């Protein structure tokens, strides 16, 4: 490599790239949130935002949905009750074009010039923006992205949308025709004062469930923003032997080459996530059907491949749009991102946990907390299950007595073990299968 560097890559180029890398790293440290916004904006402009998972980690840089009250066209840092975050720009929303964004920003600035904070309601929003530029499809995309959350729940805003559009279109049509009437547009077509229109309550429609909300965000933003489908399974995943996609992509793939129909995987791993981008094709060599897709979690994504044997068995499960647990073997060639060769798929909701059948808990008799046993008993009673509990009552250097509490069995998941170790110390719980 040193020999190649002497002639294959100009040293001035090497120096320039080194300086650029130094400045980029420095900007990430000194202007962290601006750097994160710039990375998201670059992905959007490169057309990658909706095809690949964003390269700025979700945990390190939390994101917030766009907001017609404050958002501009581009990604910007925002302040929230939970701290700093990256705010989506309106340009990141599918179906929302440049002219529509200009109309929203112009209407918002006009209201601020009048001393108002922004749009008072959905009704005022529809009145003030140019509905020739914001048709129903655009407005629905704004709702799906969460950009209208300031007006009410997404279910309520969606239910009121048709009426708001109809009334605003008539008002704008009348104003354009100069038919403001004797009172200069104070009253609308329904003879209700304009002021009351801006504060009219939204219809009592049910809000979207979590699955609908997140799927709609994914549709128009390319990301799950207000949460992630795996969030509700956080504790369950702690009790399963799973790796995240980022870790899997760093692991060394199995050395075997791809072989159509190979069905004896070794060194399998499990990854939880959501299957996206399913594509089914026919092998040119064998003529058999196979499938490719991606598995996304909060850390990133990994490519999936289901060879003919696996595809025949898992064709329907590959279409599942809820979180799944995928088992398989990493395959790939040198210097290429590994793929997970799928052997099994199961809806995460249906995965049954295999918890320890018994555990031993070390209880030092010289513990300074005299109420330790009472606290342990409260933890045991709060987690009923089938696991036996053995207490090792220790006098260091003297003796250890093993006791089994009468009629006490527990559900020994990771949360239970963590709570016990908070009382007896880290490493104080030993699992016995």
């Amino acid at each position: 490599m040193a020999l190649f560097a002497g002639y294959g890559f100009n040293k001035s180029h090497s120096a320039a790239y080194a300086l650029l890398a130094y400045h980029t790293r420095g900007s990430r440290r000194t202007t962290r949130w601006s750097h994160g916004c710039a990375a998201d904006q670059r992905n959007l402009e490169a057309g990658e935002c909706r095809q690949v998972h964003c390269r700025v980690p979700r945990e390190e840089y939390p994101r917030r949905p766009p907001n017609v009250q404050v958002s501009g066209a581009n990604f910007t840092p925002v302040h929230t009750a939970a701290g700093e975050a990256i705010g989506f720009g309106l340009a990141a929303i599918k179906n929302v074009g440049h002219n529509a964004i200009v109309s929203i920003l112009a209407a918002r600035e006009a209201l601020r010039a009048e001393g108002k904070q922004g749009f008072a309601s959905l009704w005022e929003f529809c009145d003030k923006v140019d509905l020739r530029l914001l048709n129903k499809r655009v407005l629905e995309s704004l709702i799906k992205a969460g950009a209208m959350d300031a007006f009410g729940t997404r279910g309520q805003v969606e239910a009121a949308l048709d009426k708001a559009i109809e009334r605003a279109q008539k008002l704008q049509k009348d104003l354009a025709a100069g038919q403001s009437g004797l009172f200069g547009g104070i009253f609308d077509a329904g003879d209700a004062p304009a002021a009351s229109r801006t504060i009219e309550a939204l219809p009592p429609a049910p809000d979207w469930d979590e699955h609908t909300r997140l799927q709609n965000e994914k549709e128009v933003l390319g990301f799950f923003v207000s949460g992630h489908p795996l969030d509700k399974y956080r504790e369950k995943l702690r009790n399963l032997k799973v790796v995240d996609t980022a870790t899997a992509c760093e692991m060394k793939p199995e050395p075997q080459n791809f072989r159509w129909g190979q069905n004896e995987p070794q060194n399998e791993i499990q990854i939880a996530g959501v299957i996206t981008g399913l594509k089914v094709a026919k092998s040119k060599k064998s003529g058999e059907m196979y499938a490719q897709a991606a598995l996304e979690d909060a850390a990133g994504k990994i490519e999936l491949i289901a060879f003919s044997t696996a595809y025949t068995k898992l064709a329907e499960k590959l279409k599942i749009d809820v979180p799944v647990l995928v088992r398989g073997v990493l395959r790939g060639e040198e210097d290429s991102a590994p793929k997970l060769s799928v052997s099994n798929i199961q809806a995460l909701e249906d995965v049954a946990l295999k918890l320890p059948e018994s555990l031993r808990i070390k209880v030092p008799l010289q513990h300074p907390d005299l109420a330790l046993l009472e606290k342990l008993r409260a933890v045991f009673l709060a987690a009923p299950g089938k696991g036996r509990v053995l207490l090792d009552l220790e006098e260091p250097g003297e003796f250890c007595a093993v006791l089994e509490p009468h009629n006490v069995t527990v559900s020994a998941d990771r949360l239970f073990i963590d709570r016990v170790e908070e009382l007896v110390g880290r490493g104080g719980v030993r699992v016995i299968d």
Side-chain angles (χ1 to χ4, degrees):
M1 183 173 289
L3 179 62
F4 173 78
Y7 67 89
F9 198 69
N10 190 289
K11 292 182 179 180
S12 64
H13 287 184
S14 299
Y17 279 120
L19 181 62
L20 179 62
Y22 173 77
H23 285 167
T24 301
R25 182 62 179 174
S27 71
R28 183 172 181 178
R29 291 180 62 87
T30 57
T31 57
R32 177 186 175 200
W33 294 102
S34 295
H35 175 88
C37 291
D40 274 0
Q41 189 65 31
R42 189 210 71 82
N43 287 341
L44 175 66
E45 293 172 355
E48 299 175 356
C49 228
R50 299 188 184 96
Q51 282 72 41
V52 301
H53 191 281
C54 187
R55 292 167 174 78
V56 184
R58 176 174 175 248
E59 293 80 3
E60 184 180 352
Y61 292 87
R63 293 170 177 79
R64 293 294 177 267
N67 184 345
V68 294
Q69 302 282 34
V70 296
S71 297
N74 300 330
F75 291 86
T76 54
V78 295
H79 302 279
T80 68
E84 296 283 345
I86 293 176
F88 267 77
L90 297 174
I93 307 175
K94 186 179 180 180
N95 303 323
V96 180
H98 172 74
N99 291 336
I101 295 171
V102 170
S103 177
I104 294 171
L105 300 184
R108 192 170 72 197
E109 289 305 312
L111 289 172
R112 289 178 177 173
E114 298 173 6
K116 299 180 180 180
Q117 295 296 318
F119 304 105
S121 65
L122 170 67
W123 316 104
E124 184 173 48
F125 178 85
C126 290
D127 284 350
K128 298 298 183 181
V129 300
D130 188 345
L131 292 181
R132 294 171 300 178
L133 303 175
L134 281 80
N135 58 26
K136 185 178 179 181
R137 186 184 184 193
V138 172
L139 294 171
E140 286 176 337
S141 294
L142 289 170
I143 296 171
K144 290 179 179 180
M148 290 190 174
D149 286 356
F151 304 144
T153 67
R154 299 181 195 182
Q156 288 180 305
V157 175
E158 180 187 44
L161 187 59
D162 285 338
K163 183 177 179 181
I165 292 174
E166 180 183 355
R167 291 170 57 168
Q169 282 178 336
K170 188 175 190 317
L171 174 65
Q172 293 179 12
K173 182 179 179 180
D174 289 347
L175 290 174
Q179 298 177 8
S180 56
L182 178 62
F183 299 100
I186 295 178
F187 299 98
D188 68 359
D191 295 329
S196 69
R197 293 176 56 201
T198 62
I199 59 174
E200 182 178 337
L202 297 175
D207 197 8
W208 295 345
D209 58 51
E210 182 184 49
H211 177 74
T212 302
R213 185 185 78 248
L214 293 177
Q215 289 300 320
N216 283 335
E217 289 178 358
K218 179 73 171 177
E219 176 190 339
V220 298
L221 293 173
F223 302 99
F224 303 114
V225 181
S226 62
H228 194 281
L230 291 179
D231 288 345
K232 64 185 291 187
Y233 301 102
R234 192 181 303 274
E235 285 301 322
K236 190 171 194 176
L237 292 175
R238 293 181 64 205
N239 294 279
L240 296 170
K241 294 181 180 179
V242 298
V243 298
D244 61 36
T245 55
T247 302
C249 287
E250 296 297 324
M251 296 172 67
K252 186 177 180 180
E254 288 291 300
Q256 299 99 327
N257 294 323
F258 289 116
R259 293 176 184 172
W260 299 99
Q262 184 170 320
N263 58 2
E264 296 184 0
Q266 299 176 351
N267 301 324
E268 287 189 327
I269 62 173
Q270 294 186 124
I271 308 176
V274 179
I275 297 175
T276 62
L278 177 64
K279 296 179 181 178
V280 179
K282 180 182 290 187
S283 169
K284 294 181 180 179
K285 294 182 179 179
S286 65
E288 297 176 320
M289 304 301 293
Y290 70 99
Q292 290 182 297
L295 183 68
E296 297 188 14
D297 63 8
K301 77 169 187 176
I302 189 169
E303 297 298 319
L304 302 179
I305 185 163
F307 294 112
S308 57
T309 302
Y311 175 71
T312 301
K313 180 178 68 171
L314 302 172
E316 291 304 314
K317 292 186 176 181
L318 282 164
K319 301 175 184 178
I320 296 176
D321 63 353
V322 295
V324 294
L325 186 66
V326 179
R327 188 167 72 245
V329 177
L330 289 175
R331 301 284 176 81
E333 299 177 357
E334 190 175 355
D335 299 328
S336 65
K339 295 183 179 182
L340 187 68
S341 177
V342 179
S343 62
N344 190 48
I345 299 172
Q346 188 175 6
L348 202 48
E349 187 72 34
D350 299 332
V351 175
L353 294 178
K354 186 180 182 304
L355 298 178
E357 295 180 358
S358 60
L359 358 125
R360 300 186 71 154
I361 301 173
K362 186 186 298 183
V363 182
L365 294 178
Q366 298 299 324
H367 197 281
D369 188 353
L370 299 179
L372 175 61
L373 291 178
E374 284 299 320
K375 292 179 179 179
L376 285 173
R377 181 174 181 274
V379 174
F380 296 163
L381 294 179
K386 298 181 179 180
R388 295 174 56 213
V389 176
L390 301 176
L391 301 180
D392 291 347
L393 304 179
E394 288 189 343
E395 184 69 43
E398 297 291 335
F399 65 88
C400 175
V402 180
L403 300 180
E404 182 175 358
H406 181 62
N407 288 335
V408 174
T409 54
V410 300
S411 178
D413 59 11
R414 287 304 314 172
L415 181 60
F416 172 84
I417 293 173
D418 288 346
R419 288 176 175 171
V420 172
E421 290 191 337
E422 286 178 2
L423 298 174
V424 302
R426 188 173 180 82
V429 178
R430 183 159 58 94
V431 173
I432 305 172
D433 287 326

